[in-house]
Amino acid sequence: MGPAGTADKRGRVAGGFLRLVWTALLLTVLSCFAAAHADTLLDATGYKMAGDATKMRIVVNFDREPDVKWFLLRGPNRLVIDLPRTRFALDAKDVKPRGLVRAVRYGDQGHGSRLILTGKGPFAVDELDVLKDDDGSGYRIAVDMSAASEREFDAALANQSLTTGSTVSTEKGERVGTGPISAPGHRFTVVIDPGHGGVDGGAESSAGTVEKDVTLAFAKELRDKLAAVGKYDVYMTRDNDLYLALDERVRIARQHEADLLISIHADTIAVKGLRGATVYTLSDKASDPEAQALADRENLSDQFAGMKIEDDNKEVTDILIDLIRRETHNFSMSFAHTLVGQLSTSVGLINNPQRSAGFRVLKAPDVPSVLVELGYLSNVKDEAQLLNADWRGKAAQSITNAVALFAAAKAGTATGG
Ligand SMILES: [Zn+2]
């Protein structure tokens, strides 16, 4: 090794030392930056979601006021909430999808963070607010969303611009104005709901006839009769042996902007001699103890999905919703009356055939809804009729006639004032 080699070695040592200093400096700067940066991260400390397939409230807690922007995306229907960079410390069981929400996702987007709620179908964001906690411990985002149609979702999508949560939030009044009745090109729409299905068989006759099969066979007959008129859009909540929770049936009716929901059932009763059809509408107070008992039995359907049955009377406090509910109730009563009149010409009815009780499947605030008990599976004559194609055809024709009268009356109301 010559001097050049020594010089070279000394140079390398000096260079190594410099690199070490630089690295140390860089690390110090970086760690300071990281520490400062960590402090600016928003903390999402909690997440709660309550409601069902027709209505949900979502609350996300933060350690301080979040700067929020939100917007809608379709294919699938999503609500996107943009946040500053956020550290999510959320419980996996709290973000487990349920009700109207099919998926909850969140994460880092580089310059910010994002929370994405995917709907089970189209929905409306009724309200999205950033609120200060009463105890001063932090802030929360509260989102109210409800099941809607594709058309309503698209209208909201067209109106949206990327602004803050409070200004994007749609006024309830506007939602009322764009309701099903005023939709352009909307044909009178009937949603037929065959009761029960899948693990929920419903009532059963002593001979083994199961309600879910009777209701599906009848619903198909009614669908074909209504479709043959050529003036209505007709949908079914299920057209095979599928379990559906009651709120899911209501959500489907809202998705199609139904003008009418007809839920089909065939019950059993201890009094074997009792027979005939009954038409039920929704009421907080049952018309009679039998109607109450029937509503209790039908509402048990949700237990197959392990759902907790809660009273949702808080919805009624909203005056606009209450007005719509009252109008819907009048339409339901009017259709039930027409339906009883038509059915009486072709099938046997029980005494006082128009009754009411608190059926969960009739609870859409803006869809006139009736529940038809076609007859009693506990009565051998009724059972024989329910299994007879001719009888089903006659009964389905009577319901179709009632729908025609109701649709014509409603069209008259809409154009004639
Ligand atoms: Zn039933």
Side-chain angles (χ1 to χ4, degrees):
M1 276 207 194
T6 314
D8 190 40
K9 194 179 176 187
R10 211 180 290 129
R12 264 183 302 182
V13 169
F17 178 71
L18 265 178
R19 262 201 302 277
L20 204 69
V21 171
W22 272 116
T23 307
L25 261 171
L26 199 66
L27 279 175
T28 312
V29 169
L30 272 179
S31 64
C32 286
F33 183 73
H37 200 69
D39 281 342
T40 66
L41 279 186
L42 187 67
D43 275 318
T45 53
Y47 182 101
K48 287 281 175 283
M49 187 153 69
D52 59 23
T54 65
K55 231 170 169 31
M56 287 295 269
R57 162 159 281 202
I58 296 115
V59 176
V60 193
N61 298 99
F62 296 92
D63 64 330
R64 72 194 100 128
E65 186 169 6
D67 179 22
V68 172
K69 289 178 170 58
W70 68 270
F71 56 96
L72 300 171
L73 287 176
R74 60 169 318 171
N77 307 92
R78 279 159 295 166
L79 166 63
V80 181
I81 301 174
D82 273 339
L83 300 160
R85 290 196 74 183
T86 305
R87 192 165 32 216
F88 291 94
L90 307 181
D91 198 324
K93 74 173 192 316
D94 291 336
V95 295
K96 207 175 142 222
R98 78 198 77 128
L100 190 53
V101 175
R102 202 178 69 192
V104 180
R105 286 183 299 136
Y106 51 87
D108 199 39
Q109 290 275 301
H111 53 284
S113 293
R114 185 167 268 193
L115 171 70
I116 304 174
L117 303 173
T118 306
K120 209 171 217 177
F123 57 84
V125 176
D126 300 322
E127 230 161 318
L128 193 153
D129 295 311
V130 177
L131 304 161
K132 193 177 193 321
D133 291 335
D134 290 338
D135 60 3
S137 61
Y139 283 78
R140 65 192 187 277
I141 298 176
V143 186
D144 283 326
M145 55 199 273
S146 54
S149 65
E150 271 319 333
R151 186 189 62 79
E152 289 167 308
F153 189 89
D154 286 349
L157 201 66
N159 284 334
Q160 84 183 0
S161 56
L162 203 62
T163 48
T164 57
S166 51
T167 52
V168 172
S169 183
T170 316
E171 293 297 324
K172 286 203 180 91
E174 288 174 36
R175 283 205 56 221
V176 173
T178 58
I181 296 161
S182 60
H186 173 83
R187 295 216 300 175
F188 190 88
T189 301
V190 185
V191 170
I192 307 167
D193 172 45
H196 312 279
V199 292
D200 169 23
E204 193 172 337
S205 79
S206 49
T209 305
V210 181
E211 183 180 1
K212 67 173 181 176
D213 300 329
V214 170
T215 60
L216 183 59
F218 187 86
K220 284 178 173 170
E221 178 83 39
L222 179 58
R223 173 194 62 193
D224 295 346
K225 284 254 188 314
L226 284 168
V229 176
K231 289 200 283 193
Y232 320 124
D233 286 334
V234 186
Y235 300 94
M236 290 167 70
T237 53
R238 66 175 181 99
D239 60 4
N240 54 29
D241 186 18
L242 175 78
Y243 173 76
L244 277 180
L246 297 174
D247 59 323
E248 182 60 16
R249 297 168 194 263
V250 177
R251 190 193 69 75
I252 292 169
R254 296 201 67 182
Q255 178 170 350
H256 294 300
E257 299 186 2
D259 296 283
L260 204 50
L261 170 71
I262 305 175
S263 191
I264 305 290
H265 290 259
D267 196 31
T268 54
I269 196 161
V271 189
K272 294 245 183 289
L274 194 64
R275 57 176 307 203
T278 320
V279 178
Y280 290 90
T281 51
L282 177 70
S283 164
D284 289 339
K285 203 170 168 341
S287 58
D288 53 282
E290 289 77 20
Q292 177 67 55
L294 177 70
D296 291 345
R297 279 200 298 281
E298 297 294 6
N299 291 345
L300 283 178
S301 181
D302 273 351
Q303 291 196 348
F304 288 92
M307 286 183 58
K308 214 171 84 204
I309 295 172
E310 293 164 25
D311 263 330
D312 44 9
N313 286 334
K314 63 175 174 5
E315 283 176 34
V316 184
T317 55
D318 190 307
I319 292 167
L320 274 173
I321 295 290
D322 196 28
L323 282 174
I324 292 170
R325 206 188 278 273
R326 237 178 285 167
E327 189 193 57
T328 304
H329 182 70
N330 289 341
F331 279 129
S332 301
M333 293 292 281
S334 135
F335 179 66
H337 183 73
T338 307
L339 186 52
V340 163
Q342 289 300 312
L343 282 173
S344 67
T345 65
S346 63
V347 307
L349 299 167
I350 66 165
N351 287 336
N352 309 319
Q354 191 178 335
R355 301 184 183 209
S356 59
F359 294 92
R360 282 174 61 81
V361 74
L362 305 181
K363 280 196 169 173
D366 52 358
V367 182
S369 310
V370 299
L371 186 145
V372 183
E373 289 281 350
L374 293 168
Y376 288 102
L377 282 174
S378 43
N379 181 279
V380 273
K381 286 180 183 155
D382 268 9
E383 181 184 9
Q385 282 185 340
L386 289 164
L387 297 173
N388 180 291
D390 285 346
W391 184 90
R392 285 205 299 260
K394 268 198 309 183
Q397 187 57 52
S398 294
I399 298 178
T400 303
N401 296 345
V403 169
L405 289 169
F406 179 74
K410 210 175 170 191
T413 314
T415 54

